[in-house]
Amino acid sequence: ALERAEKERLTVEVERLVAEVERVDAETQRLGTALAESNALLDGVHNSTSWRVTAPLRGAVEVARRVKQRRR
């Protein structure tokens, strides 16, 4: 009887773990898709005309920040 109860307990535990693995796999896939979409949007921004045109301004702002930090 003890062996049967132990087998039943282990079966239930295995089923719980399988369900958890399936849940984690689905979440991993969802996050991977979201990451790919975010990367595609960011690539679009970085390849845009406005990003390229404003590059010198962003560079000047960065230089100004560094100068300001050195003065502290």
Side-chain angles (χ1 to χ4, degrees):
L2 182 61
E3 185 176 306
R4 183 178 179 154
E6 181 66 8
K7 283 181 182 179
E8 179 63 27
R9 185 189 69 76
L10 291 173
T11 298
V12 169
E13 180 66 7
V14 166
E15 289 171 353
R16 185 190 69 76
L17 291 171
V18 166
E20 179 68 7
V21 166
E22 289 171 351
R23 185 193 66 76
V24 170
D25 282 348
E27 180 69 1
T28 300
Q29 184 174 8
R30 185 189 70 76
L31 291 172
T33 299
L35 178 60
E37 290 171 358
S38 295
N39 284 337
L41 287 172
L42 187 56
D43 286 345
V45 168
H46 287 161
N47 292 323
S48 70
T49 300
S50 61
W51 186 261
R52 289 193 301 271
V53 167
T54 59
L57 178 60
R58 289 192 312 276
V61 168
E62 184 59 31
V63 168
R65 284 185 185 142
R66 289 180 190 163
V67 168
K68 184 178 177 181
Q69 286 176 350
R70 288 182 186 158
R71 289 184 178 178
R72 288 183 179 183

